[in-house]
Amino acid sequence: MYETVIGLEVHAQLKTRTKAFCGCLNEFGAPANTRTCPVCLGFPGSLPVLNEMAFEHGMKAALALNCQIQNFTKFDRKHYFYPDLPKNYQISQYDLPLALDGGLKIKIKDREKTIPVKRVHLEEDAGKLIHEGEGSLVDYNRAGVPLLEIVTEPEIHSPDEAYEYLSELKAILKYLEVSDCDMEKGSLRCDANISLRLIGAEKLGTKTELKNMNSFKAVREALNYEIKRQTGILESGQRIIQETLLWDEVSAKTVAMRSKEEAMDYRYFTEPDLPGFVLTEEKIKAVKDNLPELPQALKQRFIRDYGLSDYDVEILAQEKRVADYFEACFKIYPQAKSISNWLIGPLSYELNSRNLDIQSLGLKPPELTTLISFVDQDKISNLSAKEVLTARLNSKKTVEEIIQEKDLLQICDSGELSAIIDAVISANQKSVQDYSSGKANALMFLVGQVMRQSKGKANPKVAQEMLKEKLTNV
Ligand code: ADP
Ligand code: MG
Ligand code: ZN
């Protein structure tokens, strides 16, 4: 009955050495107010100087989102009062942003769709208020950190599409190495605008703006909640009030923050302390030609060159470092499927449970491929291999040392195994006869006996094959 209409505004902190308009270090987690100077504290008479790297990062991201970089762009002051904003205005971009009219391709239930990106602009972050007991403290380390704001057209039509868009956007920004995109540290933030309209209607409905979601899942959940809430209001014949709502994770509800009546007039005007910037086509082309491989291109290449499935590639390509790790392993041991299975399975299990990324795990590609090749050659069982991986990560011992120490090598040497099997056959003539008279279960019993005789060290697959062969030749 109603169509969902969503538009997303994403703020990504740019990964630069220094802040957007001063020389203070852009660093998360430093002691409060130790990364500040007259510029980012808004002292009278101080002057901003644009960080070139922030600008380049912005261009890269805009180009990767297929936006049109504007040939002339400028900064504006957006005025409002808040204790975390010492200048009483934020340097942002208003009427002449860095880039316009892009799009991001997403996949939704095997269908492709391009989410139109309306604009991409640069601005600065505010400081951080820390509410403690009766009062509040303010930390200005974050004030002046460069931000990229990426705004979509209201053409996202479900919470799932919003989730996909955000995941893809994050992957792109991370591949470009322009942002860490860590929502927990606040380096990626998303405001979601949502309205409903009757199916077939052209005019947009009244929207609400949702804030304060700290994961993509929370964005999806908040949007689903808001669809139900707005549907209820519309169905009872009432009108939606245009307002900003905060998502409350604990009660899983949206809570009113401010309504449109209190909407602010920011009194934008051109920042007089920064020049306008002219971007020639050559300059834009130079940045475009130097873009690294992006997630979608990498996925296509992985499917084509390594014969991996869509499913595997989706997971491997989520993190560029994991994709790189895969390729490093493949160079040493060209078994794409085995490596992929190990990265998606046991290795990502270890990464999650240790809360580490693949680089800080300290397992070199040759170590992983050694382990995999032991399994692939039936020298150790899959189960033992997982045990070896965990032990390797908990110690400085090598894969080979651990296998030896734990005595995990399976017997696949046919001489040794052959002797055990012969002994089992002669000791279990009844089962041998059962097998020849067609009782398939008897074979499993005999395999079990071989496993027992070998103290669990026979390779069951090899043992079964050898048994079968010997029994048919009896
Ligand atoms: P505002 O001035 O309130 O910030 P904008 O026009 O700049 O509004 O849009 C902000 C975001 O809200 C954009 O992502 C846009 O796509 C989205 N948006 C605008 N109108 C609607 C609507 N009626 N329903 C859903 N999203 C909307
Ligand atoms: Mg807005
Ligand atoms: Zn500073």
Side-chain angles (χ1 to χ4, degrees), residues 354-371:
R354 289 159 202 263
N355 203 13
L356 289 173
D357 67 32
I358 198 136
Q359 281 198 320
S360 38
L361 190 66
L363 181 76
K364 297 194 188 75
E367 298 183 272
L368 182 65
T369 53
T370 299
L371 181 59

Side-chain angles (χ1 to χ4, degrees), residues 78-368:
K78 177 181 181 179
H79 297 85
Y80 63 96
F81 169 79
Y82 206 65
D84 64 10
L85 187 76
K87 296 197 295 286
N88 283 342
Y89 61 83
Q90 175 194 31
I91 302 180
S92 180
Q93 298 198 282
Y94 186 52
D95 53 336
L96 295 172
L98 175 65
L100 295 167
D101 299 328
L104 176 55
K105 214 192 279 172
I106 60 165
K107 226 192 221 162
I108 186 97
K109 296 196 187 93
D110 289 332
R111 209 166 44 79
E112 280 192 343
K113 168 172 179 176
T114 299
I115 305 295
V117 172
K118 185 174 166 181
R119 59 184 274 148
V120 173
H121 76 246
L122 290 158
E123 59 186 33
E124 58 178 337
D125 211 342
K128 210 155 116 189
L129 281 184
I130 301 141
H131 305 289
E132 265 188 16
E134 298 278 287
S136 293
L137 300 167
V138 65
D139 176 6
Y140 290 118
N141 285 350
R142 202 177 68 177
V145 164
L147 289 178
L148 196 67
E149 177 167 342
I150 301 150
V151 184
T152 75
E153 296 287 355
E155 289 178 35
I156 296 169
H157 293 299
S158 71
D160 286 340
E161 280 184 22
Y163 185 92
E164 282 306 314
Y165 167 81
L166 290 170
S167 308
E168 198 61 40
L169 177 61
K170 174 175 167 174
I172 289 174
L173 297 178
K174 288 189 75 171
Y175 271 55
L176 292 171
E177 295 183 14
V178 300
S179 175
D180 289 333
C181 295
D182 186 339
M183 284 188 100
E184 277 172 28
K185 290 184 181 163
S187 63
L188 192 81
R189 312 195 280 270
C190 171
D191 300 339
N193 300 270
I194 175 166
S195 64
L196 301 181
R197 66 179 165 193
L198 285 172
I199 288 173
E202 241 176 70
K203 196 167 168 288
L204 291 174
T206 304
K207 67 167 181 168
T208 55
E209 183 170 355
L210 313 181
K211 286 181 183 282
N212 201 37
M213 294 81 76
N214 53 22
S215 67
F216 294 163
K217 277 192 185 134
V219 172
R220 186 164 58 189
E221 222 185 318
L223 286 168
N224 275 317
Y225 174 86
E226 191 59 13
I227 291 171
K228 286 205 193 91
R229 193 188 69 90
Q230 290 191 11
T231 303
I233 293 173
L234 292 174
E235 281 181 344
S236 70
Q238 291 168 283
R239 286 187 4 220
I240 306 292
I241 304 167
Q242 182 166 343
E243 60 187 345
T244 302
L245 302 165
L246 293 184
W247 174 245
D248 180 33
E249 188 96 48
V250 180
S251 64
K253 282 190 170 121
T254 52
V255 190
M257 180 176 141
R258 59 169 179 253
S259 74
K260 195 70 186 176
E261 287 86 82
E262 300 158 53
M264 289 182 263
D265 177 353
Y266 295 115
R267 296 274 166 167
Y268 280 100
F269 65 71
T270 301
E271 166 61 66
D273 291 336
L274 287 168
F277 293 85
V278 173
L279 293 162
T280 60
E281 289 303 327
E282 293 83 74
K283 168 76 182 164
I284 296 168
K285 187 170 180 302
V287 177
K288 190 168 192 166
D289 290 345
N290 277 310
L291 288 180
E293 185 180 39
L294 294 170
Q296 264 154 12
L298 182 136
K299 285 181 210 169
Q300 281 168 9
R301 184 167 64 82
F302 269 36
I303 291 172
R304 192 186 61 224
D305 291 0
Y306 301 120
L308 292 171
S309 69
D310 270 2
Y311 174 84
D312 289 356
V313 168
E314 281 301 326
I315 298 175
L316 293 177
Q318 266 168 18
E319 293 280 346
K320 173 84 166 88
R321 286 173 176 178
V322 173
D324 288 345
Y325 195 93
F326 168 87
E327 292 203 286
C329 290
F330 186 85
K331 280 209 185 97
I332 308 165
Y333 183 66
Q335 297 296 329
K337 188 61 188 161
S338 299
I339 298 167
S340 167
N341 286 348
W342 271 81
L343 288 179
I344 292 171
L347 209 75
S348 64
Y349 170 80
E350 294 288 349
L351 291 176
N352 288 337
S353 62
R354 289 159 202 263
N355 203 13
L356 289 173
D357 67 32
I358 198 136
Q359 281 198 320
S360 38
L361 190 66
L363 181 76
K364 297 194 188 75
E367 298 183 272
L368 182 65

